[in-house]
Amino acid sequence: MQVPINTRINQRSYELEVDARTTLLDLLREKLDLKSVHRGCEEGECGACTVLLNGKPVCSCLVLSPQINGAEVLTVEGLMKDGNMHPLMKAFVENYAMQCGYCTPGMVMTSYYLINTWDDFTEEDIRKGLEGNLCRCTGYTNIIRAIREAKKYKDAGYWW
Amino acid sequence: MRNFIGSRSISKISYFCPKSLTEALDFLDNCKENVKILAGGTDVIPAVRSGKLLLIDNINILDIKSIDELKHIVFEEEGLRIGATVTLSEVIESEIVKNNCPLLKKAIDQIGSMQIRNWATIGGNICNASPAADSAVSLLALDASLRLQSKGKSRLVPINEFFVGPGKTKLKSDELLTEIIIPKRNGNSTFIKLGRRNAFTLSLISIAVFVQMKDNVISDIKIALGAVAPTPIRAQNTEKILIGGKITEENLKTAVQTIKEEINPINDVRASSEYRRDMSGELLRKALINLFGI
Ligand code: FES
Ligand code: FES
């Protein structure tokens, strides 16, 4: 069944017809070509598919596409501004916070939420916050370093 | 584009997303058996994909997540009332829950990952009836009731009687779980969960204890366990041993022994039944030591 929906994705409004059997992950990747949204386990365990839905991180593989009717979605593509990388993405690059890069978009979206939500945080908080994002290259140390760096950018006013 | 059921394709589904409770109950009344209720879908979607849940052709998906009447958290005479589609994150972040029901907050805090908690609902976690549902374990210890509504009817079922087996509940095909009611009671509580890694969705074992004291003796105690039986359960034999007494070396030992005899854990890939049995006893010991500071 095709379901008509209205939604905002990466600051743009869409009127779409979606197949009720598809997930948000499918919609973003296959229909809208937002390939930052990675298909991993497809059962909510790995976090590679994390996007922000109404400002909160969710696994897009567990959301049915018609459920985003009236909602707002943000992916890594939406963090870019005028073709420039977001300061958080820069911090990931500068700190070598990726090896194969499979987990990276999910890590970026979760940490974007965490940095925006928390005034201050410890390494322990970051580890707990990233519980739902697995990195099978296990490069967690650099990811945590990148998040701390990004927080400095934000405090210095270099952020959007 | 792939459909969400992966390789197990069903040719057709109907999707219905009502804005009001009346519409939803009318829909259930009309369609009866041929409906799958969906809230967050964090359990339903993986279950369908893995083949654990088979949806028949032309199934009606009833998505209740847009119904505003199911999103309340209020504290009043009756106690704490939580709407069925309140997300797990909303429960944890609620000041009302924190002040009036810290046990529930503590248990839900340990379910899944943040991403799951942001989308999964408390009602979904209960209706899914996993033997390991952490919210159900705490709600059992809190003596909660569930409001089940169907067209023109409403009934309250104690959560203690709600679960029938793994994935099975007393919910009838035309009924919807609309709210969870936790009675007002003063007491102390604790929740302990044993799992492989924190964000892993399922508990190996979890225990919730709620205790009320009067004149230095235990006037009431409710002990609930998850993942040690086909459904989340109360350890009522163990409770009986402890009610009316104080915690001593002696009755702590008896309680630990009783709880091990009382449960019926399964062997699965996550842990053996012996391990679960022994650990249930140890978790009870730890919980009581936590509560009584001995
Ligand atoms: S693909 Fe969604 S959590 Fe792994
Ligand atoms: S960098 Fe390879 S999975 Fe994280």
Side-chain angles (χ1 to χ4, degrees):
Chain A
M1 175 177 168
Q2 296 291 317
V3 183
I5 61 166
N6 283 308
T7 178
R8 272 179 79 75
I9 298 170
N10 295 336
Q11 300 95 24
R12 222 184 106 188
S13 299
Y14 288 87
E15 269 181 43
L16 299 167
E17 289 260 312
V18 297
D19 183 336
R21 291 171 302 179
T22 57
T23 60
L24 176 58
L25 169 70
D26 292 315
L27 175 69
L28 296 173
R29 266 190 82 83
E30 323 297 347
K31 200 159 172 171
L32 302 174
D33 214 27
L34 297 168
K35 301 287 195 211
S36 78
V37 188
H38 284 178
R39 192 191 299 283
C41 62
E42 288 193 86
E43 49 183 30
E45 293 290 343
C46 75
C49 65
T50 303
V51 300
L52 301 196
L53 183 53
N54 291 334
K56 291 199 156 194
V58 300
C59 299
S60 60
C61 69
L62 298 184
V63 177
L64 221 48
S65 54
Q67 291 188 302
I68 63 162
N69 189 20
E72 180 129 10
V73 180
L74 186 68
T75 73
V76 169
E77 287 86 348
L79 288 181
M80 309 271 295
K81 201 157 101 185
D82 310 322
N84 293 318
M85 274 199 287
H86 188 279
L88 173 59
M89 296 159 76
K90 262 210 176 117
F92 265 70
V93 174
E94 287 161 356
N95 289 280
Y96 304 99
M98 68 205 72
Q99 294 173 55
C100 75
Y102 205 88
C103 68
T104 313
M107 290 283 182
V108 167
M109 293 319 291
T110 305
S111 38
Y112 179 71
Y113 169 80
L114 295 177
I115 296 171
N116 281 335
T117 312
W118 295 339
D119 292 332
D120 209 3
F121 47 78
T122 62
E123 170 164 348
E124 209 31 56
D125 294 331
I126 306 176
R127 284 188 184 273
K128 179 108 182 32
L130 291 180
E131 249 173 25
N133 293 82
L134 297 186
C135 174
R136 38 173 233 175
C137 305
T138 65
Y140 294 101
T141 313
N142 285 0
I143 293 171
I144 289 164
R145 197 172 294 148
I147 293 174
R148 298 199 129 160
E149 242 358 83
K151 163 83 170 135
K152 286 187 198 148
Y153 285 156
K154 181 169 182 253
D155 291 344
Y158 174 44
W159 198 256
W160 58 76
Chain B
M1 209 153 82
R2 300 156 32 124
N3 56 40
F4 84 91
I5 24 147
S7 56
R8 282 172 195 78
S9 79
I10 42 172
S11 56
K12 279 199 185 107
I13 65 170
S14 296
Y15 172 84
F16 183 57
C17 182
K19 295 264 176 291
S20 75
L21 183 58
T22 323
E23 277 177 274
L25 296 179
D26 281 348
F27 186 81
L28 277 175
D29 191 53
N30 286 332
C31 306
K32 297 251 160 61
E33 268 76 36
N34 199 12
V35 181
K36 181 69 202 164
I37 300 171
L38 186 86
T42 55
D43 287 317
V44 173
I45 293 176
V48 173
R49 186 175 286 116
S50 68
K52 243 189 263 163
L53 177 70
L54 292 174
L55 296 182
I56 48 171
D57 264 0
N58 287 318
I59 184 101
N60 295 295
I61 302 276
L62 175 62
D63 180 353
I64 58 169
K65 224 176 180 208
S66 305
I67 303 176
D68 283 334
E69 292 138 283
L70 305 180
K71 291 181 180 159
H72 55 276
I73 301 183
V74 288
F75 188 66
E76 48 185 39
E77 231 8 77
E78 251 180 303
L80 178 64
R81 292 171 37 222
I82 304 179
T85 63
V86 171
T87 67
L88 301 181
S89 290
E90 285 162 350
V91 174
I92 299 171
E93 286 159 17
S94 156
E95 284 294 310
I96 300 178
V97 174
K98 195 172 125 200
N99 296 335
N100 300 295
C101 202
L103 174 59
L104 184 64
K105 176 183 154 75
K106 201 169 172 202
I108 291 188
D109 214 2
Q110 298 186 43
I111 301 179
S113 63
M114 173 178 57
Q115 284 94 318
I116 304 272
R117 291 192 299 269
N118 282 341
W119 197 241
T121 64
I122 184 164
N125 195 249
I126 296 168
C127 289
N128 180 45
S130 155
D134 289 328
S135 61
V137 176
S138 62
L139 290 169
L140 273 167
L142 289 164
D143 215 12
S145 300
L146 307 175
R147 185 181 309 283
L148 310 182
Q149 281 180 253
S150 54
K151 192 179 174 173
K153 273 188 240 141
S154 164
R155 62 176 177 138
L156 277 180
V157 175
I159 191 162
N160 199 14
E161 294 164 16
F162 184 65
F163 301 110
V164 181
K168 293 211 173 60
T169 68
K170 289 248 174 82
L171 196 71
K172 293 193 197 124
S173 62
D174 62 343
E175 280 179 328
L176 191 65
L177 167 63
T178 53
E179 66 173 358
I180 296 110
I181 301 163
I182 301 164
K184 240 189 229 176
R185 277 153 76 230
N186 287 327
N188 286 325
S189 60
T190 189
F191 177 83
I192 308 173
K193 169 173 173 165
L194 196 68
R196 275 282 164 73
R197 77 174 160 86
N198 287 344
F200 198 77
T201 330
L202 295 176
S203 301
L204 291 179
I205 310 170
S206 56
I207 186 166
V209 181
F210 186 93
V211 59
Q212 291 179 296
M213 303 292 292
K214 208 178 163 196
D215 307 326
N216 270 328
V217 298
I218 299 174
S219 59
D220 192 24
I221 187 165
K222 301 221 161 26
I223 303 169
L225 294 153
V228 298
T231 67
I233 52 154
R234 283 258 307 277
Q236 279 166 321
N237 293 344
T238 313
E239 291 170 4
K240 272 185 213 133
I241 286 174
L242 293 167
I243 291 174
K246 293 183 181 165
I247 294 287
T248 59
E249 246 348 276
E250 192 63 23
N251 66 5
L252 190 61
K253 231 187 232 160
T254 331
V256 167
Q257 195 49 42
T258 314
I259 206 163
K260 287 200 223 170
E261 284 160 14
E262 174 163 24
I263 60 174
N264 174 22
I266 52 158
N267 273 307
D268 69 8
V269 287
R270 287 178 291 126
S272 71
S273 72
E274 283 110 337
Y275 177 76
R276 283 199 165 101
R277 199 180 292 281
D278 284 348
M279 288 315 290
S280 300
E282 288 319 304
L283 285 190
L284 177 68
R285 191 195 306 276
K286 206 168 149 189
L288 293 177
I289 290 175
N290 271 354
L291 279 169
F292 293 94
I294 37 171

